[in-house]
Amino acid sequence: MIGAGILKGMAVTARNFVGSYFDEERLITVQYPEERNPLPENYRNFPFLVYDGGDPHAGLRCVACKICEKECPPQCIYIVKSEDKKPDYIGKPQFYPKVFDIDISVCMSCQICVEVCPFEAIKMDKDFELSRRERFDALLMRKDELAKSNDYYHRISPTDAAEVDAKLAAAAEAAAKKKAATPAAEKPATAAAQSKS
Amino acid sequence: MSTTIETLEAMERPPVSMGSRLEGELLEVSMGPQHPSTHGVFRMNVALEGEIVRELKPVFGYLHRNHEKIGESASYLGSMPYTDRLDYFCSMTNNWAYALSVEKLAGIEVPERAEYLRIILAELTRLQNHVSLLGFLLNDMGAWGTPLMYAFREREKILDLFESLSGSRMMCDYMRFGGCRVDASPEWLARARKTVDVFPRFVDELEQLIVGNEVVIARTQNVGKVSAELAISAGITGPMLRACGVNYDVRKVDGYGFYPRFKFRIPLGEHGDTYDRLMMRVLEMRESVGILKQAFEQVPAGPIINPKVKIRAFRPPIGEAYGRIEAPKGELGFYLISDGGPNPYRYRVRPPSFINLTILEDMCLGHTVADVMVILGSIDIVMGEVDR
């Protein structure tokens, strides 16, 4: 009978229409700005820089080694190394980035900078509402915009952050033990405590 | 089944003489690049006689972004996120094909769990690619919106799985040389299994929606026929080739990954028309569900990445390798030549949708303009892969 196939299709449409009121599998949309689906923990967006403690400058983990700048596939990171040094989380004097820019209009959120960073200094953010009014400078993230606290990192991805903290604490402990063998080992303990914050 | 160039030339083609063009019997229309049914920026210069297509010249290159040349200057790992952007519907299979060829090049072993995860993700990708293709195809046929929304609803569930595993819905960047980047938690596997378990219900519904539908049959049967000889000689792969009745699937032929351990059948068509190509996708989805169920049963515990592979300063030995997989659209291959340096000397992609698109003219001649949309939709192209 001609038309039977169309009627069958109509039955599917009707089932979907009625079902969307009762069946959660059939209605999976949410009213976005008011309702939000929770983000998965692995969700990634643009990168940010992690700092320990309260001061974005003093606690910044980045030592301006420029590995991420070199490995970044679309070359969206720009770093200028400092001339002087500041102590890092285990108290070892290190360089810091005088300039650290990420052009997020170029960045493709591939996470390679995070994977290659040996200092756990750069991590992926979860902030996706990034519309800006200007086309150029507003999408070029400077160091002070990129620097976010370790607390923030704990808030957005607790499991990873806890792992990183454990790793850093172990490294600090090992460094402290090494230093304890030689005299003058006051500083590392406080720095290690700070990194746990 | 040998086809030479002579037999191809001898195939019947309606004559298009310069005279008919000058006398205004033929109308030349430029379809695209901004056309809703071209799935991106693709142009066809069509010569029409009334509504009948007499000549069709595809014009590519609107989305060209130098993928292969960038691959020669980026590091091996640096090309991985770019492969996501080739066929942006199936980033997982693109990743796998690239990882496979680098693993071949450098002789890297992949842990067992990683191989299983790859198969799970590749088959999930096949499900969501075929689902969205069917939605788009019905959209092109004039079933505006509704079937596409049903398809996207199911696709979204799979994309949610990708997002919670890899961090991104479409640009997954999940595979690494010698394994995968993130381990799948038991909760994720349970969720994926649940999604796969309810998926056949949707396939049944979709089948009800299209299989017996008189409009679909009228629009697709005997439209855009491809003979097996033409398909083989043009290098067509994937569901399009199997719709012509040629039993060729890289999963069976090459047996890459752990596919030889799985039981599955290759659906084959008979007529090579648009209807067969459409049904091929429905049947392949059912087979994929079967593979996924076996994979969830068998997936072992263990490491997911080979610890010997360096992330930074990865330099494979001098040599060349061609890794290929059965992507949802056909055979996807990466050909790499290494000169021992940190980036490949030559980086070549064999994209299935580009090669499948080359016989578009042969399929469209003698059909109406409205059929061109349906035929193009049934090839399953993604312009990101065609133009690279």
Side-chain angles (χ1 to χ4, degrees):
Chain A
M1 191 188 93
I2 282 190
I6 291 176
L7 285 177
K8 255 190 201 168
M10 290 297 199
V12 173
T13 318
R15 206 184 309 144
N16 271 286
F17 172 67
V18 178
S20 67
Y21 285 96
F22 308 104
D23 192 351
E24 271 183 27
E25 290 277 312
R26 289 191 200 275
L27 186 69
I28 56 165
T29 50
V30 293
Q31 300 294 325
Y32 161 60
E34 291 87 24
E35 281 175 67
R36 281 152 195 259
N37 280 335
L39 286 175
E41 209 187 316
N42 283 342
Y43 177 77
R44 65 188 145 95
N45 209 324
F46 299 113
F48 71 100
L49 296 172
V50 189
Y51 67 83
D52 294 315
D55 184 4
H57 175 72
L60 204 64
R61 286 181 192 165
C62 177
V63 300
C65 67
K66 294 199 182 188
I67 289 173
C68 54
E69 188 188 32
K70 196 168 148 259
E71 294 283 334
C72 175
Q75 301 280 301
C76 69
I77 304 178
Y78 175 70
I79 302 173
V80 175
K81 202 179 185 179
S82 65
E83 279 112 41
D84 55 329
K85 290 187 175 184
K86 70 170 180 61
D88 69 350
Y89 67 102
I90 46 171
K92 206 168 124 195
Q94 295 273 21
F95 291 108
Y96 60 92
K98 204 158 79 182
V99 178
F100 196 114
D101 296 344
I102 294 180
D103 190 346
I104 60 166
S105 60
V106 175
C107 174
M108 57 178 180
S109 323
C110 65
Q111 217 182 16
I112 284 180
C113 51
V114 177
E115 278 167 58
V116 297
C117 182
F119 301 94
E120 310 286 353
I122 192 164
K123 293 288 168 199
M124 296 310 272
D125 207 343
K126 284 191 170 53
D127 184 13
F128 55 89
E129 288 163 323
L130 290 160
S131 62
R132 296 283 195 273
R133 284 179 182 276
E134 294 87 36
R135 288 171 64 192
F136 301 104
D137 276 4
L139 286 169
L140 183 66
M141 306 283 269
R142 307 278 179 192
K143 191 172 88 174
D144 37 332
E145 279 171 280
L146 288 170
K148 287 178 182 170
S149 68
N150 197 15
D151 292 341
Y152 175 78
Y153 182 41
H154 269 275
R155 215 161 41 240
I156 60 167
S157 37
T159 323
D160 286 351
E163 263 173 39
V164 167
D165 273 6
K167 197 175 146 194
L168 288 182
E173 214 170 281
K177 261 185 202 159
K178 212 172 162 192
K179 274 209 171 168
T182 57
E186 299 91 46
K187 249 188 180 175
T190 56
Q194 205 181 33
S195 77
K196 265 184 198 144
S197 64
Chain B
M1 257 202 231
S2 69
T3 312
T4 57
I5 294 173
E6 289 81 54
T7 53
L8 268 180
E9 277 174 356
M11 282 174 68
E12 211 175 300
R13 288 213 181 173
V16 181
S17 69
M18 204 57 198
S20 60
R21 206 172 277 238
L22 291 173
E23 283 155 26
E25 282 166 22
L26 287 185
L27 176 68
E28 280 184 53
V29 180
S30 173
M31 287 172 76
Q34 311 294 344
H35 192 282
S37 78
T38 53
H39 304 277
V41 275
F42 173 56
R43 195 170 106 210
M44 291 165 279
N45 283 336
V46 194
L48 301 174
E49 185 186 342
E51 280 236 18
I52 310 294
V53 177
R54 288 296 176 217
E55 225 177 69
L56 188 146
K57 288 276 165 284
V59 184
F60 308 133
Y62 289 95
L63 205 60
H64 181 66
R65 54 202 189 286
N66 238 332
H67 178 83
E68 291 182 1
K69 208 67 197 169
I70 290 174
E72 284 166 25
S73 59
S75 66
Y76 281 91
L77 179 61
S79 288
M80 186 62 93
Y82 285 122
T83 60
D84 292 339
R85 277 110 182 131
L86 275 175
D87 172 359
Y88 38 79
F89 275 91
C90 329
S91 58
M92 289 290 188
T93 46
N94 296 345
N95 284 177
W96 193 3
Y98 180 56
L100 193 76
S101 45
V102 174
E103 281 153 13
K104 254 189 184 173
L105 187 65
I108 299 167
E109 295 273 311
V110 182
E112 204 159 296
R113 185 178 171 84
E115 289 277 24
Y116 274 99
L117 285 179
R118 283 177 175 188
I119 285 177
I120 290 171
L121 291 164
E123 294 306 321
L124 284 172
T125 306
R126 201 179 311 279
L127 288 181
Q128 59 108 341
N129 176 73
H130 287 355
V131 154
S132 39
L133 168 96
L134 291 170
F136 278 123
L137 188 55
L138 289 170
N139 212 21
D140 291 344
M141 271 184 239
W144 267 108
T146 311
L148 181 64
M149 286 303 123
Y150 295 166
F152 266 37
R153 182 188 64 205
E154 300 306 311
R155 171 175 176 254
E156 199 56 39
K157 291 173 191 163
I158 294 172
L159 290 187
D160 278 349
L161 288 174
F162 288 175
E163 189 182 27
S164 60
L165 185 65
S166 73
S168 189
R169 291 164 69 246
M170 289 168 80
M171 302 297 140
C172 300
D173 185 23
Y174 179 68
M175 316 254 170
R176 287 288 177 263
F177 313 137
C180 304
R181 186 159 56 78
V182 197
D183 198 0
S185 62
E187 296 86 54
W188 186 89
L189 284 172
R191 222 179 107 197
R193 182 185 282 219
K194 215 181 117 208
T195 310
V196 171
D197 281 344
V198 297
F199 199 84
R201 190 190 73 169
F202 167 72
V203 182
D204 291 342
E205 261 183 23
L206 194 72
E207 231 178 315
Q208 262 190 38
L209 203 58
I210 56 176
V211 169
N213 191 309
E214 287 80 2
V215 181
V216 173
I217 289 174
R219 291 295 304 274
T220 53
Q221 283 191 350
N222 285 323
V223 170
K225 270 193 153 183
V226 187
S227 65
E229 290 79 26
L230 176 67
I232 292 170
S233 60
I236 308 301
T237 46
M240 224 176 123
L241 176 68
R242 294 193 285 274
C244 315
V246 183
N247 190 354
Y248 183 82
D249 186 310
V250 184
R251 286 176 292 178
K252 289 276 190 202
V253 175
D254 241 22
Y256 63 94
F258 281 165
Y259 274 115
R261 295 191 189 182
F262 288 84
K263 267 196 203 123
F264 61 102
R265 290 173 302 167
I266 304 296
L268 288 180
E270 213 174 314
H271 311 284
D273 57 359
T274 307
Y275 188 78
D276 273 15
R277 286 197 283 277
L278 206 150
M279 288 313 295
M280 210 50 45
R281 267 75 185 217
V282 176
L283 296 174
E284 273 192 17
M285 281 199 278
R286 293 195 190 282
E287 291 303 314
S288 287
V289 169
I291 297 176
L292 279 164
K293 281 186 177 162
Q294 293 172 50
F296 288 131
E297 292 294 319
Q298 297 172 14
V299 60
I304 52 152
I305 191 148
N306 189 338
K308 283 180 204 152
V309 184
K310 282 192 286 182
I311 298 180
R312 268 187 289 147
F314 175 76
R315 283 159 191 266
I318 297 171
E320 55 184 305
Y322 178 68
R324 60 176 188 167
I325 66 162
E326 180 75 24
K329 294 179 168 66
E331 178 189 327
L332 173 67
F334 283 82
Y335 178 60
L336 298 167
I337 301 180
S338 161
D339 57 358
N343 32 337
Y345 174 77
R346 177 79 172 99
Y347 174 98
R348 157 87 183 139
V349 189
R350 185 233 186 262
S353 28
F354 174 61
I355 291 167
N356 291 357
L357 194 54
T358 50
I359 57 163
L360 181 64
E361 187 181 15
D362 302 85
M363 293 158 81
C364 290
L365 290 183
H367 290 298
T368 58
V369 188
D371 287 338
V372 175
M373 310 283 93
V374 180
I375 294 168
L376 183 70
S378 73
I379 300 177
D380 196 4
I381 54 162
V382 162
M383 289 320 282
E385 193 177 52
V386 173
D387 290 340
R388 307 193 293 296

Coordinates of all heavy atoms in Angstrom, one line a residue, chain A residues 63-95:
Chain A
V63 N 59.0 28.7 34.9 CA 60.4 29.2 35.0 C 60.9 29.7 33.7 O 62.1 29.8 33.5 CB 61.3 28.0 35.5 CG1 60.9 27.6 36.9 CG2 61.4 26.9 34.6
A64 N 60.0 29.9 32.7 CA 60.4 30.5 31.4 C 61.4 29.6 30.7 O 62.3 30.1 30.1 CB 60.9 31.9 31.6
C65 N 61.2 28.3 30.7 CA 62.1 27.4 30.0 C 61.8 27.4 28.5 O 62.6 26.8 27.7 CB 62.0 26.0 30.6 SG 60.4 25.2 30.3
K66 N 60.6 27.9 28.1 CA 60.2 28.0 26.7 C 60.0 26.7 26.0 O 60.0 26.7 24.7 CB 61.3 28.8 26.0 CG 61.4 30.3 26.4 CD 62.1 31.1 25.4 CE 62.3 32.5 25.8 NZ 62.8 33.3 24.8
I67 N 59.8 25.6 26.7 CA 59.5 24.4 26.0 C 58.1 24.5 25.4 O 58.0 24.1 24.2 CB 59.6 23.2 27.0 CG1 61.1 23.0 27.4 CG2 59.0 21.9 26.4 CD1 61.3 21.9 28.5
C68 N 57.2 25.0 26.1 CA 55.8 25.1 25.6 C 55.8 26.0 24.3 O 55.1 25.7 23.4 CB 54.8 25.5 26.6 SG 55.2 27.1 27.4
E69 N 56.6 27.1 24.4 CA 56.6 28.0 23.3 C 57.1 27.2 22.0 O 56.6 27.4 20.9 CB 57.5 29.1 23.6 CG 57.5 30.2 22.6 CD 58.6 31.3 22.8 OE1 59.7 30.9 23.4 OE2 58.3 32.5 22.5
K70 N 58.1 26.4 22.2 CA 58.7 25.6 21.1 C 57.8 24.5 20.6 O 57.6 24.3 19.4 CB 60.0 25.0 21.6 CG 60.9 24.6 20.5 CD 62.3 24.3 21.0 CE 62.9 23.2 20.2 NZ 62.8 21.8 20.8
E71 N 57.1 23.9 21.5 CA 56.3 22.7 21.1 C 54.9 23.1 20.6 O 54.2 22.3 20.0 CB 56.1 21.7 22.3 CG 57.4 21.1 22.7 CD 57.9 19.9 21.8 OE1 57.0 19.4 21.1 OE2 59.1 19.7 21.7
C72 N 54.4 24.2 21.0 CA 53.0 24.6 20.6 C 52.8 24.5 19.1 O 53.5 25.2 18.4 CB 52.8 26.1 21.1 SG 51.2 26.7 20.6
P73 N 51.9 23.7 18.6 CA 51.8 23.5 17.2 C 51.4 24.8 16.4 O 52.0 25.1 15.4 CB 50.7 22.4 17.0 CG 50.7 21.7 18.3 CD 51.1 22.7 19.3
P74 N 50.4 25.6 16.9 CA 50.1 26.8 16.1 C 51.0 28.0 16.6 O 50.7 29.1 16.1 CB 48.7 27.1 16.4 CG 48.4 26.5 17.7 CD 49.4 25.4 17.9
Q75 N 51.9 27.8 17.5 CA 52.9 28.9 17.9 C 52.1 30.1 18.5 O 52.3 31.2 18.0 CB 53.7 29.3 16.7 CG 54.5 28.2 16.1 CD 55.8 27.9 16.9 OE1 56.6 28.8 17.1 NE2 55.9 26.7 17.4
C76 N 51.3 29.8 19.5 CA 50.5 30.9 20.0 C 51.0 31.5 21.3 O 50.5 32.3 21.9 CB 49.0 30.5 20.2 SG 48.8 29.3 21.4
I77 N 52.2 30.9 21.8 CA 52.7 31.3 23.1 C 54.0 32.2 22.8 O 54.7 31.9 21.9 CB 53.1 30.1 24.0 CG1 51.9 29.2 24.1 CG2 53.7 30.5 25.3 CD1 52.2 27.9 24.9
Y78 N 54.1 33.2 23.6 CA 55.2 34.1 23.5 C 55.8 34.4 24.8 O 55.1 34.9 25.7 CB 54.8 35.4 22.8 CG 55.8 36.5 22.7 CD1 56.9 36.3 21.8 CD2 55.8 37.6 23.5 CE1 57.9 37.2 21.8 CE2 56.8 38.6 23.4 CZ 57.8 38.4 22.5 OH 58.8 39.3 22.4
I79 N 57.0 34.1 25.0 CA 57.7 34.2 26.4 C 58.9 35.1 26.3 O 59.7 34.9 25.3 CB 58.0 32.8 26.9 CG1 56.8 31.9 27.0 CG2 58.6 32.9 28.3 CD1 57.1 30.5 27.4
V80 N 59.1 35.9 27.2 CA 60.4 36.6 27.4 C 60.9 36.3 28.8 O 60.2 36.4 29.8 CB 60.2 38.2 27.3 CG1 61.6 38.8 27.6 CG2 59.8 38.5 25.8
K81 N 62.1 35.8 28.8 CA 62.7 35.3 30.1 C 63.2 36.5 30.9 O 63.7 37.5 30.3 CB 63.9 34.4 29.7 CG 64.3 33.4 30.7 CD 65.4 32.7 30.0 CE 66.0 31.5 30.8 NZ 67.1 30.9 30.1
S82 N 63.1 36.4 32.2 CA 63.6 37.5 33.0 C 65.1 37.4 33.1 O 65.8 36.4 32.8 CB 63.1 37.3 34.4 OG 63.6 36.1 35.0
E83 N 65.7 38.6 33.6 CA 67.2 38.6 33.8 C 67.5 38.1 35.2 O 68.5 37.4 35.4 CB 67.7 40.0 33.5 CG 67.9 40.3 32.1 CD 67.0 41.4 31.6 OE1 66.8 42.4 32.3 OE2 66.5 41.3 30.5
D84 N 66.7 38.5 36.1 CA 67.0 38.1 37.5 C 66.3 36.8 37.8 O 65.5 36.3 37.0 CB 66.5 39.2 38.5 CG 65.1 39.6 38.3 OD1 64.6 39.5 37.1 OD2 64.4 40.0 39.2
K85 N 66.5 36.3 39.1 CA 65.9 35.0 39.4 C 65.1 35.2 40.7 O 65.3 36.1 41.5 CB 67.0 34.0 39.7 CG 67.7 33.6 38.5 CD 68.6 32.4 38.8 CE 69.3 31.9 37.5 NZ 70.1 30.7 37.8
K86 N 64.1 34.3 40.9 CA 63.3 34.3 42.1 C 63.2 32.9 42.6 O 63.3 32.0 41.8 CB 61.9 35.0 41.9 CG 61.0 34.1 41.1 CD 59.6 34.7 41.1 CE 58.7 33.8 40.3 NZ 58.5 32.4 40.7
P87 N 63.0 32.7 43.9 CA 63.0 31.3 44.4 C 61.7 30.6 44.0 O 60.6 31.2 44.0 CB 63.0 31.4 45.9 CG 62.6 32.8 46.2 CD 63.0 33.7 45.0
D88 N 61.8 29.3 43.6 CA 60.6 28.6 43.2 C 60.0 27.8 44.4 O 60.4 28.1 45.6 CB 60.9 27.7 42.0 CG 61.8 26.5 42.4 OD1 62.3 26.5 43.5 OD2 61.9 25.6 41.6
Y89 N 59.2 26.8 44.2 CA 58.5 26.2 45.4 C 59.4 25.4 46.3 O 59.1 25.1 47.4 CB 57.3 25.3 44.9 CG 57.7 24.1 44.1 CD1 57.8 22.9 44.7 CD2 58.1 24.2 42.8 CE1 58.2 21.8 44.0 CE2 58.5 23.1 42.1 CZ 58.5 21.9 42.7 OH 58.9 20.8 42.0
I90 N 60.6 25.0 45.8 CA 61.5 24.3 46.7 C 62.6 25.3 47.1 O 63.6 24.8 47.7 CB 62.1 23.0 46.1 CG1 62.5 23.2 44.7 CG2 61.1 21.8 46.2 CD1 63.3 22.0 44.1
G91 N 62.5 26.5 46.8 CA 63.5 27.5 47.2 C 64.6 27.6 46.3 O 65.6 28.4 46.6
K92 N 64.6 26.9 45.2 CA 65.7 27.0 44.2 C 65.6 28.3 43.4 O 64.5 28.5 42.9 CB 65.7 25.8 43.4 CG 67.1 25.4 42.8 CD 67.0 24.0 42.2 CE 67.5 24.1 40.7 NZ 67.1 22.9 40.0
P93 N 66.6 29.1 43.3 CA 66.4 30.3 42.4 C 66.2 30.0 41.0 O 66.9 29.1 40.4 CB 67.7 31.1 42.7 CG 68.6 30.3 43.3 CD 67.9 29.1 43.9
Q94 N 65.2 30.5 40.4 CA 64.8 30.2 39.0 C 64.5 31.5 38.2 O 64.1 32.5 38.8 CB 63.6 29.3 38.9 CG 63.7 27.9 39.6 CD 64.3 26.9 38.6 OE1 64.9 27.3 37.6 NE2 64.1 25.7 38.9
F95 N 64.6 31.4 36.9 CA 64.1 32.5 36.1 C 62.6 32.5 36.1 O 61.9 31.5 36.5 CB 64.6 32.3 34.7 CG 66.0 32.5 34.5 CD1 66.9 31.5 34.2 CD2 66.6 33.8 34.6 CE1 68.2 31.6 34.1 CE2 68.0 34.0 34.4 CZ 68.8 32.9 34.2

